[in-house]
Amino acid sequence: MFRQLVEQLPERQAQVLILYALEFTDSGIGKILGLAPATVRSHRRHLVNYANRTGWKEDGETSAAA
């Protein structure tokens, strides 16, 4: 399920998600990807919005309403 989510995202958001899942900080992700920490936070905000819109759950399941 995680792979399906990653494949649906824009490349940069997918990169941020993978690194965040590996417990990198915003600063660490920014250094790896050449982004400012604020840009990384923006990508994470978009990911949360996407998850809320699609009903994506942390355990990899979608809600019945999705």
Side-chain angles (χ1 to χ4, degrees):
M1 292 295 241
F2 183 78
R3 183 177 179 169
Q4 289 174 329
L5 172 65
V6 169
E7 289 173 351
Q8 294 173 0
L9 296 171
E11 183 177 2
R12 190 59 90 185
Q13 285 183 12
Q15 292 168 337
V16 169
L17 177 61
I18 291 167
L19 292 171
Y20 189 70
L22 294 171
E23 299 185 6
F24 281 87
T25 63
D26 292 344
S27 295
I29 295 169
K31 287 179 185 174
I32 291 168
L33 299 179
L35 302 171
T39 304
V40 173
R41 285 190 295 276
S42 175
H43 283 304
R44 286 198 303 113
R45 229 179 354 262
H46 288 287
L47 287 165
V48 169
N49 290 338
Y50 177 80
N52 289 336
R53 267 194 335 270
T54 62
W56 183 262
K57 303 272 186 199
E58 189 173 337
D59 64 3
E61 296 182 13
T62 56
S63 68

